[in-house]
Amino acid sequence: MNLIFLGAPGAGKGTQAEIVCEKLGIPAISTGNMLREAVKNQTAAGLAAKEYMDRGDLVPDDVVVGILKDRIAMDDAKKGFILDGFPRTVPQAETLDAMGVQIDKVIEIYVPDEKICARLSGRRVCEGCGNSYHVDFKPTKVEGVCDACGAAVVQRIDDKPETVLSRLETYKEKTAPLKDFYAAKGKLVTVEGQEEISETAKLTMAAIEG
Ligand code: AP5
């Protein structure tokens, strides 16, 4: 099954992708995580992406598409995958179509803007393995230390309030039109993001299986 998770920054795409990929036994492919890894390793793609990411803009399509093509060609993606954060523009969606990738469902996780800011200001991510936490809703067992690998958990540079507002604007202008794009193909299902991560997970699984 090939799925796309769509939604504003901080809606919970990565959190749900982590849960659903375990249930379905398919990889979650996050272009945001891959780009952050490329920035950390100072690859050509990372160097090209960094300034856009730091200010909350989209990275140019050719950079992201290059990374994505390599990833979905890997063996573990042959039986299906969840795309988290891709496509993010109509041209990116058209590129997926042109690559012959069949998408079964597009799950939009909808959360109102006012809740997004609280979620992102409290998010912490592991510097080592990239696991994501929240100081209130999904805290680490030991403060500041990743449960999975023991590395430090920190705030993302683009989770500062002024950058979050800019990411929300970018989402509305460039990514939200994808809802109409996939609704016209009969693939869009919207899930209301709940206060509890496990509640959203139940709705997300029901949307996938329904
Ligand atoms: P990316 O990493 O994809 O960022 P994003 O889409 O802005 O999404 P986030 O990771 O911020 O949020 P999320 O929806 O995954 O929420 P999460 O589960 O973490 O992209 C970063 C940047 O990379 C972009 O700005 C762009 O520059 C570039 N980029 C990436 N892909 C690109 C593309 N295709 N084209 C061009 N550029 C691209 O949850 C957020 C927080 O809330 C967490 O702390 C979590 O614990 C908590 N939480 C989650 N669910 C709940 C809940 N139900 N209740 C309470 N708390 C919850």
Side-chain angles (χ1 to χ4, degrees):
M1 186 176 262
N2 296 334
L3 301 167
I4 290 172
F5 282 9
L6 192 64
K13 304 179 295 293
T15 302
Q16 294 304 321
E18 230 175 76
I19 296 171
V20 173
C21 76
E22 283 218 359
K23 288 190 197 285
L24 298 184
I26 54 176
I29 298 177
S30 157
T31 42
N33 284 350
M34 288 191 287
L35 287 166
R36 278 185 288 281
E37 192 63 21
V39 169
K40 195 163 95 182
N41 296 330
Q42 300 195 327
T43 65
L47 294 173
K50 186 176 183 332
E51 59 172 302
Y52 296 94
M53 296 177 76
D54 285 352
R55 59 172 189 257
D57 284 344
L58 293 183
V59 172
D61 287 347
D62 58 327
V63 177
V64 186
V65 167
I67 287 185
L68 182 90
K69 274 189 181 164
D70 291 346
R71 180 63 187 86
I72 60 177
M74 289 183 182
D75 276 351
D76 67 339
K78 299 259 185 296
K79 57 190 170 180
F81 48 73
I82 301 169
L83 296 182
D84 160 14
F86 189 96
R88 235 171 171 111
T89 60
V90 171
Q92 287 183 12
E94 289 167 345
T95 302
L96 262 190
D97 285 349
M99 285 161 63
V101 175
Q102 296 297 324
I103 298 298
D104 296 292
K105 276 193 183 168
V106 177
I107 310 292
E108 181 209 2
I109 303 177
Y110 172 74
V111 173
D113 287 2
E114 52 276 18
K115 288 194 184 159
I116 294 284
C117 294
R119 287 197 186 180
L120 291 182
S121 63
R123 174 164 60 185
R124 300 292 180 269
V125 289
C126 173
E127 282 187 318
C129 66
N131 267 11
S132 175
Y133 299 92
H134 191 283
V135 290
D136 297 319
F137 308 125
K138 191 185 169 191
T140 51
K141 292 190 182 108
V142 178
E143 198 183 326
V145 179
C146 177
D147 294 351
C149 76
V153 298
V154 296
Q155 187 166 38
R156 261 169 53 174
I157 292 176
D158 61 349
D159 279 348
K160 288 187 196 133
E162 61 276 19
T163 318
V164 168
L165 291 179
S166 147
R167 285 163 62 200
L168 273 173
E169 285 308 310
T170 303
Y171 175 77
K172 284 173 190 162
E173 187 193 331
K174 302 202 168 136
T175 308
L178 286 173
K179 290 191 262 179
D180 287 343
F181 182 91
Y182 285 113
K185 293 175 187 278
K187 309 237 160 162
L188 185 76
V189 188
T190 298
V191 166
E192 297 250 347
Q194 307 294 307
E195 290 306 311
E196 290 288 327
I197 292 171
S198 59
E199 284 304 312
T200 311
K202 279 186 206 153
L203 296 178
T204 303
M205 280 310 294
I208 292 168
E209 289 163 353

